[in-house]
Amino acid sequence: MSKDTISMDEQARAILRGNDRGGYTVPTAGLYPYQWNWDSAFAAWGFAQFDLERAWDELTTLFDGQWPSGMVPHIQFHQPDPGYFPGADVWGAETKGPVPSSGVSQPPVAATFALAVYRKNPDQGQAALKALFPKMVKWHRWFMDWRNDNGAIFITHPWEAGRDNAPDWDEAMAAIDPVGVGEYTRRDTSHVDPAMRPTKADYDRYIWLVQRGSRLDWDEAAMAQDMPFKVADPTMTFILLRANRDLATIADALGEDRTEIDGWTKVLEAGTARLRNPETGSYNAVNLITGNHTGNVSNASFLCWYAGIESADMMRELHEAFETCSYPVASHKPGDETFDAKRYWRGPTWAIVNALIGYGLAGMGHHAEAQKLRALTAGLIAKYGFAEYFDPTSGDPAGGGTFTWTAAVWLAWASPNVEGA
Ligand code: DGY
C-alpha cells in the first residue's frame, strides 16, 4: 500500500465527514446545500467502508423524508439556504411530506446500497434494514404505479433522471414553450463556471415544469393528464430493475414475501427491450410523446449489465469507448455534434456512473472490462481530485469540488485498497 494511496483514502473519508450535516450528507457545500436522494445513497455506500452506523443513519434519514404516496423526493430541504435555487418555496411542496422537499424523485439506487451496507455486517444491520424494507417496497411500488410505461420507466422532469441536461431530453425539451416562467435568479452559476452548467433555455424549462407541478399540487393523477415531458430513461429503468432484484434478496434475508417484487422485475425486464434501438442495438432514451428513440449512447446506456441484461452491442460500444476516449465513460458519445466535454451531462465522465457500470460488468463476469474501468477511474480521481465530474478528453476536473459521491465511490470501489471490487 503506497503512501499516496493511504492519503487518497484519508482525503475521501475527510470529504464525507466534512459534508456530513448530521444524519445526512450534502453533495458539496455551496452548490448543493441539501440532501439529494441518490447522492445520499452513494454517501451511505462510502460511509459503510469505515463507519457502518453512520451509513445506516444516512439511509434512514433519506427515507424519513418519504411522502405518504411512497415517493422519495430528489431533494430534502432540511434547512433554508439562500445559496440555492429553486428552493422549497418554488417547489410548493413544503407540506406534501414530513420534510420540505422537491416534488420529483431520483434514480432508486438505495436498495442496492442498503444491501451492500447490510452485507458488511448483517447482525449489526438487521434492525435498520428491517425498518427500511417496507419503505423501499413502497417507493418501488410508486415507480411502478406512476413512472411505468409497459416496463420502461420514464421521467417527468430532467432532474428526475439525475442527468439534468443530457442530450437525451433535447427533443422533449424543445417541444416545451416555457411561457409565463417569469424572472428568476440562478444560483448554480455563481458557484461554478456557467460553461459547465445547463443553459438558460434548459433552466427556463426546468422551472416551468416545477411551476406546473406546484400548480397541480404534485398530484400524480392530475399531472399524468397531458404530460408535457415524458421520456423513458435507461438510468431509471436499469437502476430500478437492479434495485428490485436487490430488494428481493433483502426480502429473502429478512424472511419477507418477495412475490410482488418479483412481479415488478418481470415487467421491468420486458421494459428494457423497449429501450433497445432496433437500428443500432444500443440502449437509448425514448421520447414517449413522439415514440422516437433518441439515438444517443449515454453513460446510462452502459447500465445494462448492472441491471443483469447482457448486450453484445453495448459491449462493442464499451470497447470503442475504451479505444477512443482517454477517460471513459463519457456521458455523451464524443464525436456526436451535441457532445460538450465540460457541460455537465453532455459529455463529462462521472465516477458514480462508472462505479455502477463496473459493478454491473463484474457481476456479469466481464472482469477484464470491469477492472479496466475501475483502474481508469481510480487514475482519474487520483490525478484530478474528488471533482463532481471530469472532462473525458483531458481529465480536467469540472463542476463542484470535494464531492461526496466521488469520495464515496473512491472508498467503496475505485481505491486500490478495496478488496474484491
Ligand atoms: C441542480 O440543482 O443542478 C440539481 O441537479 C437539481 O437536482
Side-chain angles (χ1 to χ4, degrees):
M1 193 192 300
S2 76
K3 202 159 169 292
D4 281 355
T5 304
I6 294 169
S7 89
M8 283 295 289
D9 285 7
E10 279 169 4
Q11 283 176 50
R13 286 191 287 266
I15 287 171
L16 290 185
R17 294 279 189 223
N19 289 337
D20 183 355
R21 296 292 179 270
Y24 73 96
T25 311
V26 298
T28 190
L31 183 61
Y32 304 116
Y34 307 110
Q35 182 177 24
W36 261 260
N37 187 322
W38 67 332
D39 296 71
S40 197
F42 275 100
W45 195 33
F47 274 121
Q49 312 311 312
F50 64 102
D51 185 344
L52 272 179
E53 206 175 313
R54 183 62 190 76
W56 285 118
D57 281 353
E58 187 78 30
L59 291 169
T60 300
T61 308
L62 176 62
F63 280 90
D64 283 350
Q66 184 168 39
W67 287 17
S69 65
M71 199 274 280
V72 181
H74 101 294
I75 307 176
Q76 294 183 38
F77 301 102
H78 292 286
Q79 84 291 308
D81 193 310
Y84 183 81
F85 177 86
D89 54 329
V90 182
W91 284 93
E94 286 101 326
T95 57
K96 300 298 290 182
V99 177
S101 72
S102 68
V104 298
S105 200
Q106 231 173 11
V109 286
T112 297
F113 291 136
L115 181 59
V117 177
Y118 173 75
R119 283 181 167 152
K120 285 268 174 193
N121 185 337
D123 287 340
Q124 187 183 339
Q126 187 81 8
L129 189 68
K130 207 170 173 46
L132 284 172
F133 176 73
K135 301 178 183 185
M136 294 193 289
V137 171
K138 202 172 167 190
W139 189 27
H140 287 203
R141 190 181 294 125
W142 176 86
F143 276 110
M144 298 309 290
D145 285 347
W146 297 111
R147 296 292 184 270
N148 168 17
D149 190 287
N150 291 317
I153 302 299
F154 61 86
I155 56 168
T156 60
H157 191 298
W159 285 341
E160 212 159 33
R163 299 186 297 122
D164 301 8
N165 66 341
D168 286 5
W169 329 131
D170 285 1
E171 182 191 83
M173 287 286 265
I176 292 174
D177 180 4
V179 63
V181 75
E183 294 295 314
Y184 58 91
T185 306
R186 285 174 66 171
R187 300 288 175 197
D188 59 316
T189 43
S190 65
H191 299 287
V192 166
D193 179 353
M196 298 175 179
R197 294 289 304 175
T199 61
K200 165 144 173 62
D202 281 329
Y203 255 79
D204 282 351
R205 286 160 179 80
Y206 298 155
I207 301 306
W208 185 86
L209 286 167
V210 169
Q211 291 169 345
R212 174 179 181 270
S214 175
R215 204 168 46 245
L216 296 173
D217 199 27
W218 300 104
D219 173 343
E220 293 292 350
M223 287 191 294
Q225 311 285 323
D226 303 321
M227 237 174 219
F229 183 95
K230 187 178 180 184
V231 184
D233 171 29
T235 339
M236 282 294 189
T237 307
F238 288 139
I239 286 178
L240 183 62
L241 176 50
R242 171 57 188 255
N244 221 44
R245 296 189 198 281
D246 290 330
L247 195 58
T249 303
I250 290 172
D252 286 346
L254 296 173
E256 300 278 355
D257 184 16
R258 54 181 283 172
T259 318
E260 185 183 17
I261 302 168
D262 286 341
W264 297 333
T265 297
K266 282 207 178 62
V267 174
L268 290 163
E269 279 173 345
T272 61
R274 303 191 47 217
L275 302 181
R276 189 166 177 276
N277 187 325
E279 280 166 30
T280 63
S282 64
Y283 288 105
N284 302 163
V286 179
N287 182 351
L288 293 178
I289 293 172
T290 59
N292 292 338
H293 272 265
T294 60
N296 297 325
V297 175
S298 73
N299 49 356
S301 306
F302 295 91
L303 293 174
C304 51
W305 300 287
Y306 179 76
I309 307 281
E310 198 45 88
S311 167
D313 290 309
M314 288 312 303
M315 188 54 83
R316 188 179 27 78
E317 286 283 354
L318 183 63
H319 282 264
E320 189 186 321
F322 281 142
E323 276 157 33
T324 57
C325 182
S326 306
Y327 299 99
V329 174
S331 47
H332 187 62
K333 199 170 177 170
D336 193 280
E337 58 178 9
T338 52
F339 173 81
D340 185 337
K342 292 215 165 36
R343 202 180 283 282
Y344 214 32
W345 291 91
R346 300 182 78 84
T349 290
W350 293 71
I352 50 138
V353 181
N354 280 6
L356 300 184
I357 297 169
Y359 208 60
L361 284 165
M364 299 282 284
H366 299 297
H367 295 291
E369 287 82 3
Q371 280 311 326
K372 184 164 185 168
L373 187 58
R374 183 175 164 227
L376 283 166
T377 310
L380 180 64
I381 300 173
K383 189 160 178 198
Y384 296 101
F386 296 97
E388 184 179 4
Y389 45 94
F390 302 87
D391 180 326
T393 57
S394 67
D396 286 344
T402 56
F403 220 84
T404 291
W405 65 14
T406 309
V409 303
W410 174 270
L411 287 171
W413 177 70
S415 165
N417 296 323
V418 177
E419 278 166 27

